[in-house]
Amino acid sequence: MIPSINPPGDRTIGLLAYLYGPGKHEEHVDPHLVTSFDGMAPDPGRDPSATLKALQQLLDQPIQALPEHARPAKHVWHTSVRTAPGDRMLSDEEWAEVARRIVAATGIDPGEGQPGCRWAAVRHADDHIHIVATLVCEDGTRPDDFRSGKRAQAEARLIEKELGLHQVAPGDGTAAQRSTSAERHKAERQGRERTAREELRETVRRAVVGATSDEEFFDRLAAAGLLVKKRVAPSGDLLGYKVALPDDRNKDGEPVYYPGARLAPDLSLPRIRERWSADTPGRDDMPVEAPSWAEPAAPAVARRRTASAAWQAVLVIEQGDDAVAAAYIAAAGEVLDALAKTSAAHTRYQLREAAWAFERASRCHVRAVRGHDRALRQAARELVHGGPALGRGEDGATTAMAIDMLFFLITAAAHWHARKGHAQQAEAAHRAAEHLRVAYRTAAEQPLAALHHRGRHLSRQLLQRQTSAVRTAIPELAEQVLAEPGWPALAATLADAETAGHDPVPLLAEVAGRRELGTAESISDVLVWRLRRTADLPADATSIPAPQRMSGTASTTPRIRQHRRRQ
């Protein structure tokens, strides 16, 4: 249940006309009063003799009783209270009790003999009500409505439990500002998928990804087509910025600008600068070489490096200091934004939704110590500079590899937030992980099918050798892995690693010992990508050079060498 308190207004009659009217898109159905401050207010929706003017005059009486100079200019208090999608439909009587509890909790009408304001609750839809009040009490004083938004939210959490409704995760003040109802209606009229505020937030976040200076950041905003205004001090120092969509105009035809801090708390210029001001190489930064068979600037290489950086981040989030873990989680949001921006069409939607969901998980009250997250930020930068990836071949296969590792990173972030009691962030991370699951299935379908085909055609002797390797390296998981549909793909990967000169047993033991297998839908799939990344094997099996490719029938005695550890 979400109470959404609007800024105070100045025309009670105007708000009532909207609440009792048809709505901007004829969406209002059967507008009527469910309760009021005295239970006897006129109802223009159900009583033919009642008028909007009569209800307005009743609510405004305490205002009019004051001398004109003492009347508050903004005297109209308004909130909507909405149930969650999937909740049962509440009766008018239940909504009336909700309204009474919300006005009591917020100080609008506290009850128990204390002076209160006049108010009315109007229902014109199944899933929500509107409460309108006038901000002068019966004795002429102002109500104690300080922090009424937080008080309304706290009461809503109690109401949810008592009425058996969906329990909304409590917030901590770090969420991005929600779009107003006016912004949502404007987006609907213009046929936009998201409001201007939301589009700007996403575009600015993508412009920040891997950026290393003010100049690069603002160049990216301009390249994205945004209108940008900079706030400059008399000394010439840059203090801030605001952005607008070129086609988002107010009634006077002027662009509607939003300061970065109003888009999200971490998008103010000082908070953005924290990212690149700490981007100096340190001991924790382990450069990852491109495989010898790969083109250094290819999108596929950026995706392999992303998978490596994501794995390092998982270990830090699980075992590291909270401030450093918070930095890695924030940087994970940049990686998701970069991957969504550069992904092929068939995975782009789910990756974009994952990045959009995780945005809420990238901020909390644990202040991030930037700098340690440089490897992740560098991976995000390389994704952007590597350009759009194809949805096939090595690009497509390494996309699956990166998504697979990012799934574990985002899951680790969800667990970290849950341990810290960050309910909204944990929920957002779990939503992002589910989008990544879907994106992974799409990205991995073709490369895993090719590996599966090759695995099914391995010689009996070779297959037996890989089966023995699995039972030796991971005895506690062996039977589960061997029974999975993905086993042939893993067998083919072990054979490729053996042909490349690796000893499959210690190699498999190493990658299986890297934890986080419990949340995997297929352990075989996870081991395939970890093996191919650690052993420097092409992610796309069809691209393996001919001398390395297993014939599937010939008996081979490969030269075994100790594999190199790849972080």
Side-chain angles (χ1 to χ4, degrees), residues 140-397:
T141 62
R142 292 294 303 271
D144 177 17
D145 63 337
F146 178 67
R147 299 174 71 87
S148 60
K150 288 188 176 294
R151 290 150 70 178
Q153 294 290 348
E155 188 66 20
R157 303 295 80 79
L158 298 175
I159 295 171
E160 290 163 355
K161 293 181 181 179
E162 294 173 21
L163 295 183
L165 304 176
H166 171 73
Q167 295 184 26
V168 176
D172 61 2
T174 62
Q177 185 172 328
R178 293 166 58 91
S179 299
T180 66
S181 58
E183 290 170 346
R184 291 193 296 271
H185 290 145
K186 186 177 184 180
E188 290 174 8
R189 290 196 306 272
Q190 296 176 342
R192 295 182 186 275
E193 179 184 352
R194 290 175 175 156
T195 65
R197 182 192 299 272
E198 292 168 337
E199 286 190 26
L200 289 168
R201 184 187 307 145
E202 182 177 53
T203 304
V204 173
R205 282 179 62 85
R206 289 188 174 187
V208 174
V209 170
T212 58
S213 66
D214 289 359
E215 293 75 17
E216 183 177 12
F217 171 59
F218 286 111
D219 285 347
R220 289 185 181 183
L221 292 180
L226 300 189
L227 303 179
V228 182
K229 282 188 177 181
K230 300 177 183 179
R231 185 162 61 90
V232 182
S235 63
D237 293 335
L238 182 59
L239 301 178
Y241 73 99
K242 53 186 177 179
V243 289
L245 295 175
D247 57 350
D248 182 38
R249 306 271 169 166
N250 61 20
K251 58 182 176 60
D252 298 321
E254 301 168 334
V256 180
Y257 282 92
Y258 293 82
R262 297 290 297 277
L263 299 176
D266 55 347
L267 293 183
S268 67
L269 188 59
R271 292 293 301 276
I272 288 174
R273 282 171 165 167
E274 289 177 5
R275 309 185 193 202
W276 53 68
S277 64
D279 278 353
T280 53
R283 292 182 304 173
D284 296 334
D285 299 321
M286 300 291 292
V288 181
E289 296 179 3
S292 59
W293 44 264
E295 190 68 33
V301 174
R303 279 151 173 74
R304 294 182 73 99
R305 287 173 172 165
T306 295
S308 297
W311 170 242
Q312 286 184 321
V314 170
L315 296 179
V316 172
I317 291 171
E318 289 182 341
Q319 304 168 6
D321 174 82
D322 282 349
V324 176
Y328 272 86
I329 291 172
E334 292 193 46
V335 173
L336 286 177
D337 281 322
L339 196 61
K341 182 177 181 179
T342 59
S343 63
H346 67 309
T347 55
R348 188 177 305 138
Y349 173 79
Q350 290 296 339
L351 289 173
R352 184 188 180 198
E353 290 300 304
W356 182 256
F358 193 74
E359 186 268 345
R360 179 66 190 96
S362 64
R363 292 184 305 274
C364 66
H365 279 305
V366 178
R367 189 62 179 266
V369 176
R370 308 308 294 247
H372 296 278
D373 58 339
R374 182 176 179 271
L376 268 185
R377 292 204 73 241
Q378 180 63 25
R381 181 177 179 84
E382 290 183 3
L383 285 170
V384 171
H385 284 273
L390 300 174
R392 61 185 183 276
E394 190 67 13
D395 282 6

Side-chain angles (χ1 to χ4, degrees), residues 397-463:
T398 51
T399 296
M401 177 186 289
I403 295 173
D404 176 71
M405 200 64 251
L406 284 169
F407 170 81
F408 290 109
L409 173 57
I410 300 311
T411 300
H415 293 165
W416 184 85
H417 279 306
R419 291 196 302 271
K420 300 299 174 187
H422 306 157
Q424 286 191 357
Q425 290 89 337
E427 183 180 337
H430 280 303
R431 288 200 312 273
E434 288 309 308
H435 286 295
L436 288 175
R437 278 190 192 273
V438 178
Y440 169 77
R441 294 188 194 110
T442 302
E445 182 178 7
Q446 189 279 328
L448 285 180
L451 279 170
H452 188 275
H453 177 76
R454 290 183 54 229
R456 292 291 298 271
H457 290 82
L458 292 176
S459 68
R460 178 176 298 180
Q461 179 185 2
L462 188 53
L463 186 60

